[in-house]
Amino acid sequence: MMLLMLIALVVGTLIGAVGVGGILLIPALNLIGGLSIQSAMATALFTFVFTGIVGTIAFMRHGSIDLRITVPVCAGALISGFAGAWVNALLNASLLMLLLALVVCLAGVYTLATRGQPRRPALHGHPGLQRAMLFGLGGVAGFGSGLTGVGGPALSVPMMVLAGFAPLTTIGTSQVIQILAGASGTLGNLRFGVIDFGLAGALVLFELAGVMIGARIVHAINAQRLRFWVGVLCLAVGGGLLVKAVGGY
């Protein structure tokens, strides 16, 4: 149990600092906590609702959440998270998880390769089209969150970085998307999945402490270093998803 709590602290710190990190909790709950994969996914996703609330408050205090970007992304995630949890209960999702893993890895490679090059976000100057694109990205992130339990940021951060948005903006958005994607996916899991509420309650306390630490870290480093760590974490998460997807075949 102490090892699980330590992992929860690390996961919370990564969520607060880079937006990505929830994937680490699922194998820990499965291998150390003895939960089934489905229950581990559902339990982890439930805890991300609370890390999202605390992360959103912390980033709002720093003025790091752009509502023009965040609102359409979160709207897409809210609608699709329930559907992802439903598909998770019906299908072996290894193929789709493999595709998601490749997207996350591509985002990591791209982020590191273009680290020193300033970019405009995709569809800059076309606000209507850009909002539609962000809604679609949120939909993919929410569906993937409900499907795999990794949390919306594991997909929203890489995809938004690929679309040219600044890392701090994407991480700020990821804090809010956790709430909606997590809540939507949890509603599906309450019907189709199994959540260990007792274990989740203990995990949340350590995750929240980590989120507060991570939020302080991310606002204390420069943009180029932040972009580097986003790239590294995308590769790490993508690699973890690949291993998980291959293991499902």
Side-chain angles (χ1 to χ4, degrees), residues 165-197:
F165 292 93
L168 188 59
T169 299
T170 69
I171 295 169
T173 298
S174 78
Q175 304 303 317
V176 186
I177 203 174
Q178 287 182 84
I179 305 172
L180 300 179
S184 181
T186 294
L187 287 175
N189 285 321
L190 287 172
R191 181 171 181 181
F192 305 113
V194 180
I195 301 173
D196 188 327
F197 289 104

Side-chain angles (χ1 to χ4, degrees), residues 69-84 131-146 152 156 159 173 177 180-181 184-185:
I69 294 172
T70 301
V71 169
V73 173
C74 290
L78 179 63
I79 292 172
S80 63
F82 183 92
R131 283 194 295 270
M133 177 194 70
L134 289 168
F135 180 86
L137 292 181
V140 173
F143 183 83
S145 175
S156 68
M159 289 189 297
T173 298
I177 203 174
L180 300 179
S184 181

Side-chain angles (χ1 to χ4, degrees), residues 4 18 23-24 29 31 34 53 64 66 69 82 88 105 110 129 136 144-145 167 179 183 204 215 223 243:
L4 276 178
V18 195
I23 188 175
L24 300 177
L29 290 176
L31 299 175
I53 293 171
S64 302
D66 187 337
I69 294 172
F82 183 92
N88 176 278
C105 287
Y110 178 82
L129 291 175
S145 175
I179 305 172
V204 164
V243 170

Side-chain angles (χ1 to χ4, degrees):
M1 181 62 73
M2 288 304 299
L3 180 56
L4 276 178
M5 297 306 109
L6 178 61
I7 292 172
L9 180 65
V10 172
V11 165
T13 302
L14 291 174
I15 288 173
V18 195
V20 179
I23 188 175
L24 300 177
L25 188 58
I26 297 169
L29 290 176
N30 175 236
L31 299 175
I32 301 173
L35 302 185
S36 69
I37 283 293
Q38 288 78 11
S39 181
M41 289 179 175
T43 302
L45 192 58
F46 173 71
T47 69
F48 298 149
V49 176
F50 303 95
T51 58
I53 293 171
V54 171
T56 296
I57 294 171
F59 274 69
M60 287 185 70
R61 286 177 176 171
H62 286 90
S64 302
I65 294 179
D66 187 337
L67 292 179
R68 294 171 300 177
I69 294 172
T70 301
V71 169
V73 173
C74 290
L78 179 63
I79 292 172
S80 63
F82 183 92
W86 175 61
V87 172
N88 176 278
L90 294 177
L91 301 176
N92 182 333
S94 296
L95 178 58
L96 184 52
M97 193 181 298
L98 178 62
L99 295 175
L100 295 176
L102 293 175
V103 170
V104 175
C105 287
L106 176 62
V109 172
Y110 178 82
T111 301
L112 293 175
T114 61
R115 191 157 48 103
Q117 303 172 17
R119 286 193 65 211
R120 281 186 173 185
L123 300 174
H124 178 78
H126 303 278
L129 291 175
Q130 189 179 77
R131 283 194 295 270
M133 177 194 70
L134 289 168
F135 180 86
L137 292 181
V140 173
F143 183 83
S145 175
L147 178 73
T148 65
V150 299
L155 299 175
S156 68
V157 170
M159 289 189 297
M160 289 182 68
V161 168
L162 274 176
F165 292 93
L168 188 59
T169 299
T170 69
I171 295 169
T173 298
S174 78
Q175 304 303 317
V176 186
I177 203 174
Q178 287 182 84
I179 305 172
L180 300 179
S184 181
T186 294
L187 287 175
N189 285 321
L190 287 172
R191 181 171 181 181
F192 305 113
V194 180
I195 301 173
D196 188 327
F197 289 104
L199 182 56
L203 291 170
V204 164
L205 295 177
F206 286 83
E207 287 180 54
L208 296 185
V211 168
M212 291 185 284
I213 294 170
R216 288 181 175 272
I217 292 172
V218 73
H219 287 97
I221 62 177
N222 64 52
Q224 289 304 316
R225 185 171 296 177
L226 176 59
R227 192 172 179 86
F228 169 79
W229 285 111
V230 168
V232 170
L233 262 294
C234 284
L235 287 175
V237 170
L241 285 172
L242 281 172
V243 170
K244 189 174 178 182
V246 171
Y249 281 107

